Amino acid sequence: MAPTRSLLTVVVALLVVLSGLPLASAAENQVIGRPDLSLSVPDNRVAPGEATTLRVAVVNDGVIVRGGPERFTERVTTARATTLDVGEVRGLDVETESVAVGQVPEGVVGPVEIDLTVPEFVPPGRYELPVTVSYTYTGTVTYDEATPNDNPRFNDRSVTRRLTIPIVVEDQARFRVVGVDTGVQVGANGTMAVSVRNVGTDPAREASVGLTSANSDLSFGGVATAESFVGTWRPGETRTVTFPVAIAADAERRDYTLTGAVTYTDTDGIVRTSNELRTSVRPLAEQSFSLADVSSSLRVNYEGTVEGTVTNEGPSPISDAVVVLRPASANFDASETEFAIPDLAAGESADFAFDVEVSSAADPGSRQLSFAVRYENEDGDTRTSDPLTARIQVDAERDPFTVEADDSTLAAGDSGRLTLTVTNTEDETLSDISAKLFVDDPISSSDDEAFIDALEPGESAEVTFQISTAGSTFAKDYPVSVDFEYDREDGTTQVSDSFRLPVTVEESSGGGFPLGLVVGVGAVVLIGAAVVVVRRR
């Protein structure tokens, strides 16, 4: 009985297995098979802090259980309507959710792309990215062996499989810009310091930092790119590199983008280029200055003073500075055109003054003067500011003295003193004042010079001259003139214009006959004598 039961059990088992396969008649045949899909990623190495794209190949290694016509074997081994549903993996940001692949025959299809971002501080290691593969296929094709092309029957099935893609986050040197500092102003040259940190897990050897400016207004000594050597760079270490920087004079004061990378040799001796460095730099505003309280004592044919206050408006301090005067025209002559001022921090001011002589050919009125500040910046480079203008007033020519005749009357034929009151009209003390009198007939002078030691502003003094007139002088006003040679406070000697003054001659009021009457009587006597002589003959 035992062998009979065993045989029965085998028969039942075979019936169960065969019940899952479609039955074919004696004239029918079948092709049985299935696709076998897997995923392949040739480059699955990624680095923290970067966005990357995995290029995934779909591999179909089809399985044939029972062969037959080629077109039926191709059908049973082909996956149709294939899709990849990408899952999540802790620590990575997967950007692609689903990819439609379509028909996958035996062989390789793709690659298809899966985008993901590796956060900057994700630990190095191996990660498994889950991918669900869904597709349909024909498991069995039943056909008439005599007429295989007539109405074959297809047994289709749907399959869902869960696969994984290995992703390796590598130990690498990675870099990030942590600071940018520059004191370069618009329109100037200088240096820029860039601080870069190795935020990776591996050291770098023979490292160099390269930067590129995206705008011609900011250049590295006139070129768009620059590189600075660093050397060995440990994980977590911050290195500061400097670059020469030039900012165009017409550049806007804004953030300028800088990009770059670190070129280095890794621990395996392979030369690599790091992740992209990206940062920005904003130049300082152009150094500026302002003028205030600019005034002058200028007038035609006179050396006066131009003075004022200059303020460093910043943004940086200046040293070894001078204010430079640029005369308005050839009629303005400054003995010195530079005035030294002290070092000025931003916001500080200093006074300046220039002695300027205005020629006699100049016209009085409003004039515009131009100034500039020449200075050294924080890097020791000499710079000159933009022109600073100010309006000043040039007064009309003015005599340095007023002269009044206090005693200027004498009788005809008499002599006396001419007394003049001389007043200093200047704003400074005048000294060594020599007065010179000029007279014409019928006025004469035996003492035509006088001297005043000094006159303070507004001070007066008297000078006297000895003058005389002939007895025949008619009674009226006669002109005389006087000028002055004098010294100013700066030691220069000048000669004033001539001052014309009247001398009044009056008729003589002394005893005896007037000269005219004597002459007349003498003439009458002579005529009478002549008549007597004639008659006697």
Side-chain angles (χ1 to χ4, degrees), residues 184-230:
V184 181
Q185 297 170 307
V186 172
N189 301 329
T191 58
M192 175 181 65
V194 181
S195 297
V196 183
R197 180 175 300 156
N198 180 358
V199 296
T201 55
D202 269 10
R205 295 183 294 109
E206 300 170 348
S208 294
V209 178
L211 290 180
T212 299
S213 171
N215 192 302
S216 60
D217 285 346
L218 186 152
S219 65
F220 301 100
V223 296
T225 61
E227 190 170 6
S228 184
F229 184 78
V230 175

Side-chain angles (χ1 to χ4, degrees), residues 447-522:
D447 177 19
D448 59 1
E449 293 185 355
F451 181 78
I452 303 173
D453 183 59
L455 287 177
E456 295 183 358
E459 185 180 7
S460 300
E462 289 185 349
V463 294
T464 59
F465 303 94
Q466 189 70 29
I467 60 172
S468 60
T469 63
S472 60
T473 302
F474 288 104
K476 65 175 184 179
D477 290 340
Y478 292 89
V480 298
S481 61
V482 64
D483 65 21
F484 303 89
E485 182 180 273
Y486 59 95
D487 291 342
R488 292 191 175 275
E489 288 181 346
D490 61 4
T492 60
T493 299
Q494 295 184 344
V495 178
S496 71
D497 291 336
S498 295
F499 295 85
R500 291 173 63 85
L501 301 165
V503 172
T504 303
V505 177
E506 297 177 342
E507 291 183 355
S508 176
S509 59
F513 295 102
L515 178 62
L517 180 59
V518 173
V519 173
V521 172

Side-chain angles (χ1 to χ4, degrees), residues 105-177:
E106 279 191 283
V108 179
V109 172
V112 297
E113 296 181 346
I114 297 177
D115 296 327
L116 58 88
T117 299
V118 183
E120 185 173 8
F121 297 105
V122 67
R126 181 185 176 93
Y127 295 79
E128 299 292 337
L129 177 64
V131 178
T132 300
V133 182
S134 301
Y135 59 92
T136 61
Y137 76 99
T138 300
T140 304
V141 179
T142 303
Y143 62 94
D144 190 311
E145 189 172 4
T147 57
N149 294 327
D150 291 345
N151 300 318
R153 299 190 304 276
F154 304 110
N155 181 23
D156 293 338
R157 297 180 179 181
S158 295
V159 175
T160 298
R161 297 182 58 193
R162 190 176 185 275
L163 305 176
T164 59
I165 297 175
I167 299 174
V168 178
V169 179
E170 292 186 307
D171 281 314
Q172 284 188 359
R174 292 182 296 106
F175 302 90
R176 184 175 64 188
V177 177

Side-chain angles (χ1 to χ4, degrees), residues 77-93:
T77 57
T78 297
R80 303 187 303 275
T82 306
T83 60
L84 305 181
D85 293 318
V86 185
E88 297 181 352
V89 58
R90 186 176 181 180
L92 305 182
D93 296 330

Side-chain angles (χ1 to χ4, degrees), residues 336 356 536:
E336 296 288 343
V356 179
R536 286 180 178 178

